[in-house]
């Protein structure tokens, strides 16, 4: 009995599971709640090592924590599974302390099986909806790729042919009037401009460069192009290994940068922009910093830019932050956890 070890009678009456174990891994005694929950008699529980009643998948982590416990570390809220005599699996959450002077472990547990079932169901639903989100995002990106291909390979090629025909006409222009020659030259210029515009649109819709050259190179090009087109200094730097990012995350990072830079153009206070990706150890952070005030935290003044960023961040369970600083600078930060299977580590 528990009280034989000098512990009060309420351990016998509590619905919590209470037991005393030795350093050898055998139970020395347990309160009635243990016997009731595991469906074994006290004699059966004392006859075998405790690990014989555990779920096989939890033995290794339990022994590891028990080793720390015997070194003097108090165990708080440690959960593992046990198999009852009838074959049911139950989850127990333990608080344990090792009494070194008596070489015994006093452990108290609560049955958290119901809570665990809810958590497991919630996680399954999360995985299901995350999969659906990825599915629809992939469908959308495939449509984008097809549209970009049609623009670049079909429409741009047709314009290139038109430009070649105009060039041929220019070569035959000896008998043409000056007005016709001017129109032909103008048409050739317009064709070249349209080809460049289509190429830019195709990149914005679906950046093939991302697949061919990687995220870092693509973002360097995006920032450089942004600077050239809009006269706003924009640079990209990184401190992480790109290979740890999944293709989905690379695409999401690119799309968020696209949306953030587009949103900056809706305001007149943007100055120097810095795009950075860094590995903090447990997280990957994408930071888009503006030394001016190109972002607005007043959502009433927002167009759809930041909403799009939020929705994409939510789809990868990322934490998004938009902040204006007192020195008139502003930034957008996206943080993802490396452990959540978003990163191949």
């Amino acid at each position: 009995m528990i009280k034989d070890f000098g512990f009060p009678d309420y351990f016998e009456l509590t619905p919590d599971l209470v037991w005393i174990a030795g350093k050898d891994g055998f139970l020395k005694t347990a309160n009635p709640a243990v016997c009731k929950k595991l469906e074994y008699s006290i004699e059966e529980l004392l006859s075998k090592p405790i690990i014989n009643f555990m779920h096989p998948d939890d033995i290794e982590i339990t022994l590891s924590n028990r080793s720390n416990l015997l070194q003097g570390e108090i165990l708080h809220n440690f959960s593992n599974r046990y198999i009852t005599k009838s074959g049911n699996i139950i989850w127990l959450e333990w608080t344990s302390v090792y009494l070194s002077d008596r070489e015994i472990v006093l452990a108290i547990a609560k049955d958290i099986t119901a809570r665990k079932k809810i958590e497991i169901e919630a996680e399954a639903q999360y995985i299901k909806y995350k999969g659906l989100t990825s599915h629809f995002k992939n469908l959308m990106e495939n449509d984008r790729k097809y549209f970009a291909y049609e623009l670049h390979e079909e429409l741009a090629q047709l314009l290139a042919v038109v430009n070649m025909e105009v060039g041929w006409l220019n070569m035959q222009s000896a008998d043409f009037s000056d007005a016709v020659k001017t129109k032909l030259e103008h048409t050739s210029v317009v064709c070249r401009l349209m080809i460049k515009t289509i190429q830019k649109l195709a990149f914005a819709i679906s950046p093939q460069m991302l697949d061919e050259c990687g995220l870092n190179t693509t973002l360097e090009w995006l920032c450089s192009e942004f600077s050239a087109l809009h006269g706003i200094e924009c640079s990209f730097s990184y401190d992480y290994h790109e290979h740890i990012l999944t293709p989905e995350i690379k695409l999401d990072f690119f799309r968020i940068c696209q949306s953030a830079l587009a949103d900056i153009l809706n305001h007149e206070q943007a100055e120097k922009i810095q795009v950075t990706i860094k590995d903090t150890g447990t997280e990957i952070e994408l930071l888009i910093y503006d030394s001016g005030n190109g972002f607005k935290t007043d959502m009433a003044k927002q167009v759809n830019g930041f909403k799009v960023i939020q929705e994409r961040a939510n789809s990868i369970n990322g934490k998004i932050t938009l902040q204006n600083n007192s020195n008139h600078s502003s930034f957008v930060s996206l943080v993802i956890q490396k452990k959540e299977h978003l990163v191949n580590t």
Side-chain angles (χ1 to χ4, degrees):
M1 301 293 287
I2 293 285
K3 63 183 179 181
D4 294 334
F5 286 81
F7 294 99
D9 289 341
Y10 61 76
F11 283 122
E12 300 286 340
L13 303 175
T14 180
D16 292 340
L17 287 71
V18 183
W19 71 32
I20 293 173
K23 290 182 66 175
D24 57 2
F26 280 79
L27 281 179
K28 291 185 174 294
T29 188
N31 73 342
V34 175
C35 299
K36 182 179 180 181
K37 189 65 64 175
L38 296 181
E39 302 171 359
Y40 289 99
S41 67
I42 188 64
E43 290 76 21
E44 290 173 315
L45 291 172
L46 299 182
S47 66
K48 299 176 182 179
I50 297 172
I51 61 173
N52 282 37
F53 305 101
M54 290 180 195
H55 192 288
D57 293 345
D58 291 349
I59 290 176
E60 183 177 351
I61 189 171
T62 301
L63 291 178
S64 175
N65 278 272
R66 187 174 187 276
S67 176
N68 294 334
L69 179 67
L70 296 179
Q71 296 298 318
E73 181 180 319
I74 297 176
L75 195 62
H76 290 289
N77 303 325
F78 170 71
S79 59
N80 59 1
R81 289 166 290 179
Y82 285 78
I83 302 175
T84 67
K85 191 172 185 177
S86 60
N88 294 322
I89 296 174
I90 62 172
W91 282 89
L92 299 178
E93 186 174 75
W94 297 92
T95 296
S96 306
V97 61
Y98 176 56
L99 305 178
S100 57
D101 58 330
R102 302 175 64 178
E103 295 191 337
I104 60 173
V105 174
L106 173 63
I108 303 174
K110 291 184 180 294
D111 183 355
I112 59 169
T113 305
R115 189 184 82 195
K116 275 291 183 180
K117 286 182 178 179
I118 293 173
E119 290 176 357
I120 292 170
E121 289 174 4
E123 184 177 1
Q125 288 296 317
Y126 167 74
I127 293 172
K128 174 184 175 182
Y129 289 123
K130 184 175 182 292
L132 286 173
T133 299
S134 296
H135 173 70
F136 288 121
K137 281 166 63 177
N138 288 336
L139 285 178
M140 182 176 66
E141 289 300 332
N142 287 336
D143 288 342
R144 284 173 176 262
K145 284 183 179 180
Y146 175 77
F147 185 46
Y149 177 85
E150 291 295 311
L151 275 175
H152 189 271
E153 301 298 328
E154 299 294 334
L155 190 55
Q157 293 296 334
L158 287 174
L159 278 169
V161 172
V162 171
N163 193 41
M164 290 174 62
E165 295 295 325
V166 171
W168 182 86
L169 286 174
N170 269 325
M171 294 173 62
Q172 317 301 319
S173 63
D175 299 327
F176 292 166
S177 66
D178 290 341
V180 171
K181 291 178 182 180
T182 300
K183 285 293 184 183
L184 288 174
E185 291 175 1
H186 179 72
T187 302
S188 180
V189 170
V190 170
C191 283
R192 291 195 296 271
L193 287 174
M194 288 183 67
I195 291 171
K196 289 184 178 180
T197 300
I198 289 171
Q199 290 172 338
K200 290 177 183 177
L201 284 173
F203 176 84
I205 292 169
S206 182
Q208 187 176 355
M209 185 180 185
L210 189 61
D211 295 328
E212 296 177 350
C213 303
L215 178 62
N216 294 338
T217 300
T218 304
L219 288 181
E220 284 175 353
W221 185 92
L222 180 68
C223 292
S224 176
E225 188 75 358
F226 183 88
S227 297
L229 290 175
H230 307 293
I232 301 172
E233 185 178 347
C234 182
S235 61
F236 171 68
S237 62
Y238 59 91
D239 183 15
Y240 79 112
H241 297 290
E242 181 176 333
H243 71 273
I244 69 175
L245 297 182
T246 63
E248 178 190 9
I249 295 301
K250 291 179 184 180
L251 181 59
D252 285 320
F253 274 24
F254 172 78
R255 292 294 184 205
I256 286 172
C257 284
Q258 260 190 326
S259 297
L261 293 178
D263 193 54
I264 286 173
L265 292 178
N266 292 316
H267 308 290
E268 300 178 353
Q269 300 176 18
E271 293 181 6
K272 182 178 179 181
I273 301 167
Q274 294 174 303
V275 180
T276 306
I277 301 177
K278 63 181 179 180
D279 187 337
T280 64
T282 59
E283 301 170 333
I284 299 291
E285 181 184 23
L286 167 64
L287 182 68
I288 305 164
Y289 173 83
D290 175 26
S291 60
N293 193 17
F295 298 111
K296 296 288 185 182
T297 56
D298 184 355
M299 296 305 294
K301 297 180 181 179
Q302 280 283 341
V303 288
N304 292 325
F306 189 63
K307 183 178 179 182
V308 170
I309 293 173
Q310 282 184 311
E311 290 173 350
R312 190 168 282 271
N314 291 339
S315 74
I316 55 175
N317 202 28
K319 180 183 178 182
I320 194 79
T321 303
L322 171 62
Q323 182 174 318
N324 282 350
N325 298 322
S326 57
N327 61 353
H328 303 296
S329 63
S330 55
F331 68 85
V332 168
S333 169
L334 169 67
V335 175
I336 60 171
Q337 298 291 325
K338 292 168 66 176
K339 67 180 181 181
E340 293 186 8
H341 306 293
L342 300 175
V343 183
N344 293 326
T345 55

